[in-house]
Amino acid sequence: MDTLIFSTNSSSISHRSFDEYSMFEDINLDQTVAYYEEIIDRGDKLSYNYWYLGLAYLLQQREIDAQAIWFIPFAEASELETSVLTNELSAILDRLASQTLTDRDLDNSWLISQYLREVDPTHVNNLIRSILLAIELDLFSPEDLVEWEGVEILSTHVDCEVDRENLDRVVELLLNFPSEVTGDLIRQCLLSFATVRSHLIELIARTSLNLSHRLGANSFMTEILEICLKFQPQNTVVLQVLGRLNCNLAEYQKAIDISYLIYSLCDGSAQKIIGNANIIRTLLTAGDWQNVLPTLDRHYQLLKIFINEKQYTLTPEIDRSLLVSSTFLPYIADRPDYYRSIQNQISQIYLDLDRPQAITRAIEPTALPKQTEILRIGYLSSTLRSHSVGWLSRWLWQYHDRDKFQIFTYCINQNPDDPFYQKWFRDRADVAYCFGTNANEIAAQIRADDVDILIDLDSLTLDTTCQVLAAKPAPVQVSWLGWDATGLATVDYFIADRYVLPENAQEYYQEQIWRLPQSYLAVDGFEVGTPTIRREDLDIPTDAIIYWSGQRGYKRHPQTIKLQMQILKSVPNSYLLIKGESDRYIIEALFAKIAREVGVDLNRLRFLNTVADEVTHRANLAIADIVLDTFPYNGATTTLETLWMGIPMVTQVGEQFAARNSYTFMLNAGITEGIAWSEQEYVDWGVKLGLDRQLRSKVHDKLRSGRKTAPVWNAKQFTRDLEQAYQEMWSKHLATQSQSV
């Protein structure tokens, strides 16, 4: 339509086409008011004159004047005319509210939207915009949805035109506000907007998973996902997220049932591998080892079929899931030659099918200047928080030599308000980021920051990290600490030491193994709180021997439990404390079954609840006389915590990385007592330590004195060793580059 533009050299108005919104910029408001007051005074009663004058008043914070001027056209209007006038005013307010939101002028957008709600309370796009603005301005409460009659408005606008971008954002953000009314509104969105329902369901699943990573799972998320399943009961993406959340909420049987349902919906060898892996992971998390082994046989067969197919037509989602589908194998068997071979082949298939050829998203580089004499080191992880990786890696951020290294931290699915993240990682990095799960965005930022060496701390525990590594955003890429290696050819090195991997390990690793001179990990120690358990609380005599086994369900291999029962049987007046996340009923039944088979009285077993925090857990460790490690997947953080507390432990050494963690940490802590190379030796050490008080005292003293001298407790020297490795890696890279020129 023909509208108005202000002259740049006077306050006069000329009749030309112009941008409607420029009238309401701060520099033009006074002119807008003067113009419309003048033409209305001259008798020009066109309704638009009143609407625009009222808007100008509103933006000048003259709300009473705005209401008064808007009322004038309605004063003598007929019912039909009133409807037309309402639609006119609504359209103008809607356009201006939308534009100011786009311009991120949130306060004015909120103000206009609230007046639009007065003019047209049933305006569906304004409802959605108002919710969005209330959340972004930190004004929102779920009770607002009741006051605004959100469900009622949506129910009268079935299949209407809706602002998709705002709708997506509102649904995504409402998952942060668990309540019954919030759930009702999300359900009504799915009912009302059937044309975008599949999109919304995918958004809800993805957002719920991301939120659970950052903030933990809650029952509200599972309720919303169950609503989604009412519409799409066979949506495997929703089912996978729902299963994972149920695991996190300790609803293990629900998670197990969901995993079997997902497998029944799988078609083709690749999908069946992913589905079967989901079953095994869920069973292991619950501690349901009785049902793992037959499912494992099927997994081996599926892997064989898939690899022999040679020709693959997979979706990117299946590619990513397939890449991390065999991470449970080291928990079940110590077969690194087989497992690494399988992982290397699957990783290569992933790269051949889905490797990004270019990072498409343009990202602004950091303002941190590039200095040729300083290496730029990037750390990529989803676990730089109150997590084992966070506790163990934090010392690097404290001790890095800032004259030689600039530190970039790339966090995935991180809660930016987490105090541990703020204290140890963000505040000690030169540059720090918090990303979601968009691998392309993360890789683009790493490349824009011109990082020299990228250190992966997640490995195969997160597919997003693998996607970033596959894009090769840094010239040198390294895996360390978080898990075993990825098998991706885009990763150059895997950090180890001379103990944690045997000499022949390079035969089955894709990455080059880089062995540090001492331990592949060191810490300065751990904070310890106040214990919350005592012998009398557990009905254990003061002269009894207490064994401790603290691990999650997926490390509870039945054969190791059998060895632990044999130790208990051979040491009179001994008890075993069992702690770790799993299905309480399933894990107690598993231990009871094996105890009866070995001939151990069930009264000698004590199952402990989890505690609120790590410092309390470490304090409670002091009740133990001996800690019994797991096999074929040892402890890592739990081992270091045990050694720091000065408690003797027994570990069985295997061939794979996961079966040698305790071995390297014990050697680097200064003890050999308790290191076993066979099942019989594991039992022998457990019995010997239980019967020999002087031996336990000797080990305790060695561990305590080793706090001052042992390599595993010297994080500063470890940092220097790792920095030396970085410099040598970079020199090798530069030499290779110069040879190729």
Side-chain angles (χ1 to χ4, degrees):
M1 68 179 181
D2 285 335
T3 49
L4 306 170
I5 188 167
F6 295 106
S7 169
T8 58
N9 54 16
S10 73
S11 61
S12 63
I13 308 295
S14 58
H15 289 269
R16 292 166 51 194
S17 293
F18 87 121
D19 177 2
E20 177 181 37
Y21 312 110
S22 67
M23 287 194 302
F24 302 102
E25 295 175 356
D26 289 341
I27 60 172
N28 289 336
L29 276 177
D30 290 342
Q31 293 177 320
T32 301
V33 167
Y35 169 72
Y36 283 110
E37 285 180 340
E38 179 184 346
I39 61 174
I40 289 173
D41 287 343
R42 289 202 310 258
D44 188 342
K45 305 300 183 182
L46 184 67
S47 58
Y48 280 95
N49 295 331
Y50 293 95
W51 308 151
Y52 285 131
L53 178 57
L55 263 172
Y57 284 155
L58 185 64
L59 296 178
Q60 286 184 325
Q61 308 301 315
R62 297 166 59 183
E63 296 184 36
I64 294 176
D65 291 338
Q67 294 176 39
I69 205 70
W70 280 338
F71 177 75
I72 293 173
F74 290 101
E76 298 180 359
S78 66
E79 184 175 344
L80 179 60
E81 289 170 337
T82 297
S83 177
V84 173
L85 293 172
T86 299
N87 289 337
E88 284 181 2
L89 180 55
S90 293
I92 291 175
L93 292 173
D94 183 43
R95 287 199 302 273
L96 266 295
S98 179
Q99 183 61 40
T100 47
L101 175 57
T102 299
D103 295 341
R104 304 304 295 166
D105 183 1
L106 301 185
D107 289 328
N108 279 331
S109 185
W110 169 256
L111 181 62
I112 298 167
S113 293
Q114 297 321 292
Y115 272 91
L116 174 53
R117 194 161 53 83
E118 296 292 329
V119 173
D120 184 1
T122 67
H123 196 295
V124 67
N125 276 323
N126 192 55
L127 168 69
I128 293 168
R129 181 172 51 240
S130 295
I131 298 171
L132 175 58
L133 286 163
I135 294 173
E136 294 206 9
L137 290 167
D138 200 23
L139 302 172
F140 179 75
S141 169
E143 287 69 31
D144 293 335
L145 303 177
V146 178
E147 180 185 344
W148 298 343
E149 299 183 341
V151 171
E152 292 80 359
I153 292 172
L154 290 174
S155 65
T156 60
H157 288 78
V158 176
D159 293 332
C160 70
E161 289 293 325
V162 64
D163 187 318
R164 286 278 302 277
E165 184 176 347
N166 285 352
L167 177 64
D168 284 0
R169 188 67 179 139
V170 162
V171 170
E172 186 177 9
L173 289 173
L174 283 177
L175 292 172
N176 291 278
F177 297 90
S179 73
E180 184 178 350
V181 293
T182 302
D184 289 342
L185 189 95
I186 294 175
R187 179 190 294 108
Q188 190 59 53
C189 286
L190 294 172
L191 281 167
S192 294
F193 307 120
T195 56
V196 296
R197 182 180 297 149
S198 294
H199 166 76
L200 288 177
I201 288 174
E202 180 184 341
L203 175 70
I204 289 168
R206 184 174 65 250
T207 303
S208 298
L209 182 60
N210 293 345
L211 283 175
S212 71
H213 281 306
R214 292 195 294 111
L215 307 175
N218 59 57
S219 58
F220 174 71
M221 294 180 190
T222 64
E223 290 167 6
I224 297 299
L225 291 169
E226 286 167 357
I227 290 171
C228 293
L229 289 176
K230 299 286 186 184
F231 297 98
Q232 297 181 357
Q234 295 187 345
N235 187 313
T236 55
V237 174
V238 175
L239 287 167
Q240 286 168 358
V241 177
L242 183 59
R244 186 172 300 186
L245 296 188
N246 275 308
C247 262
N248 294 342
L249 292 169
E251 295 285 352
Y252 296 108
Q253 192 55 56
K254 288 182 180 179
I256 291 170
D257 293 342
I258 290 170
S259 69
Y260 279 106
L261 173 58
I262 292 171
Y263 183 78
S264 72
L265 299 172
C266 292
D267 183 29
S269 60
Q271 287 191 31
K272 287 183 177 179
I273 288 171
I274 296 166
N276 199 62
N278 189 40
I279 293 175
I280 296 175
R281 275 195 297 265
T282 307
L283 291 171
L284 288 174
T285 303
D288 189 359
W289 281 82
Q290 301 297 323
N291 290 308
V292 165
L293 296 181
T295 315
L296 179 65
D297 291 338
R298 181 170 66 191
H299 199 75
Y300 289 143
Q301 291 300 316
L302 288 169
L303 285 170
K304 184 177 180 180
I305 292 169
F306 174 75
I307 290 174
N308 289 336
E309 283 177 355
K310 303 298 183 185
Q311 295 183 349
Y312 310 102
T313 53
L314 308 177
T315 66
E317 179 59 38
I318 293 176
D319 289 351
R320 295 192 297 273
S321 299
L322 191 64
L323 182 61
V324 297
S325 65
S326 298
T327 54
F328 58 83
L329 289 176
Y331 295 103
I332 297 172
D334 182 27
R335 300 175 60 191
D337 53 343
Y338 170 78
Y339 164 65
R340 294 307 320 170
S341 174
I342 290 291
Q343 187 59 53
N344 293 342
Q345 291 178 73
I346 290 177
S347 295
Q348 190 57 51
I349 291 169
Y350 171 76
L351 289 178
D352 292 342
L353 292 175
D354 201 41
R355 178 180 176 181
Q357 297 302 310
I359 297 173
T360 57
R361 179 163 179 169
I363 298 287
E364 286 296 319
T366 174
L368 195 63
K370 178 79 170 180
Q371 301 179 55
T372 55
E373 69 277 11
I374 293 181
L375 282 179
R376 293 159 84 93
I377 307 296
Y379 288 98
L380 174 67
S381 180
S382 62
T383 51
L384 298 179
R385 48 186 169 84
S386 297
H387 180 279
S388 289
V389 171
W391 289 111
L392 301 181
S393 67
R394 55 182 167 151
W395 304 104
L396 279 180
W397 277 257
Q398 178 159 322
Y399 289 127
H400 262 310
D401 185 343
R402 299 316 171 93
D403 292 330
K404 297 179 180 178
F405 301 90
Q406 291 176 335
I407 306 306
F408 294 74
T409 302
Y410 302 92
C411 291
I412 304 172
N413 274 328
Q414 189 75 295
N415 178 4
D417 298 323
D418 180 86
F420 191 39
Y421 162 69
Q422 294 284 349
K423 178 180 179 181
W424 282 97
F425 305 105
R426 184 170 189 168
D427 294 343
R428 288 172 169 82
D430 293 291
V431 180
Y433 303 92
C434 278
F435 289 101
T437 56
N438 187 325
N440 189 59
E441 181 181 12
I442 301 168
Q445 187 65 65
I446 294 168
R447 183 167 291 179
D449 290 341
D450 205 7
V451 165
D452 298 316
I453 302 177
L454 179 65
I455 314 299
D456 147 47
L457 282 79
D458 286 341
S459 189
L460 294 170
T461 61
L462 187 67
D463 57 1
T464 301
T465 308
C466 293
Q467 289 176 265
V468 175
L469 295 171
K472 192 68 172 178
V476 177
Q477 299 191 153
V478 183
S479 286
W480 171 65
L481 182 61
W483 208 71
D484 208 336
T486 64
L488 289 165
T490 53
V491 178
D492 303 283
Y493 300 105
F494 179 53
I495 299 288
D497 59 39
R498 54 181 169 162
Y499 303 120
V500 78
L501 285 176
E503 291 183 4
N504 68 329
Q506 191 62 68
E507 297 173 6
Y508 44 80
Y509 273 87
Q510 167 69 43
E511 302 85 348
Q512 181 180 340
I513 298 171
W514 193 288
R515 297 181 190 266
L516 298 181
Q518 298 184 97
S519 177
Y520 83 95
L521 170 67
V523 299
D524 274 358
F526 296 96
E527 298 85 349
V528 179
T530 303
T532 58
I533 57 172
R534 298 174 299 172
R535 288 175 177 247
E536 51 265 40
D537 298 331
L538 301 173
D539 193 24
I540 295 177
T542 57
D543 61 343
I545 300 301
I546 293 181
Y547 292 96
W548 174 291
S549 178
Q551 294 294 352
R552 294 172 180 262
Y554 43 71
K555 293 187 180 182
R556 297 291 186 188
H557 197 290
Q559 183 60 24
T560 302
I561 296 176
K562 182 178 179 181
L563 301 180
Q564 293 170 350
M565 293 302 103
Q566 291 174 3
I567 294 170
L568 209 60
K569 184 178 181 180
S570 301
V571 179
N573 194 29
S574 63
Y575 294 78
L576 176 63
L577 306 189
I578 302 149
K579 177 180 177 291
E581 293 182 11
S582 58
D583 185 291
R584 182 70 175 260
Y585 173 80
I586 290 175
I587 211 71
E588 287 188 13
L590 176 62
F591 270 86
K593 176 180 180 295
I594 297 172
R596 282 191 290 266
E597 291 172 353
V598 175
V600 172
D601 188 338
L602 302 187
N603 189 48
R604 297 171 67 183
L605 307 181
R606 299 288 187 274
F607 294 89
L608 304 181
N609 295 323
T610 56
V611 293
D613 50 52
E614 292 87 353
V615 295
T616 304
H617 158 72
R618 295 171 197 140
N620 286 341
L621 268 173
I623 198 174
D625 295 298
I626 306 106
V627 168
L628 300 178
D629 199 10
T630 48
F631 184 86
Y633 205 113
N634 295 169
T637 307
T638 52
T639 295
L640 287 169
E641 290 169 330
T642 297
L643 299 175
W644 180 253
M645 296 298 295
I647 304 169
M649 72 178 300
V650 181
T651 189
Q652 181 180 342
V653 186
E655 292 295 310
Q656 65 186 5
F657 181 84
R660 299 171 70 92
N661 267 304
S662 295
Y663 169 53
T664 191
F665 294 151
M666 289 171 73
L667 288 178
N668 279 291
I671 61 170
T672 57
E673 297 87 347
I675 296 174
W677 294 89
S678 67
E679 291 183 352
Q680 185 58 53
E681 207 173 345
Y682 181 91
V683 174
D684 291 344
W685 270 117
V687 173
K688 187 175 183 179
L689 284 165
L691 296 176
D692 192 335
R693 181 184 297 273
Q694 288 186 343
L695 178 60
R696 295 198 303 272
S697 179
K698 174 186 173 183
V699 173
H700 173 81
D701 291 344
K702 288 172 71 174
L703 288 171
R704 284 291 183 169
S705 62
R707 282 186 175 188
K708 300 177 182 178
T709 58
V712 78
W713 309 129
N714 191 341
K716 188 172 185 178
Q717 181 57 50
F718 165 74
T719 304
R720 299 288 87 81
D721 292 341
L722 194 58
E723 288 176 339
Q724 180 64 31
Y726 292 163
Q727 289 173 323
E728 292 178 18
M729 290 173 187
W730 188 245
S731 295
K732 284 177 176 286
H733 168 71
L734 294 179
T736 302
Q737 291 294 101
S738 64
Q739 291 171 7
S740 62
V741 174

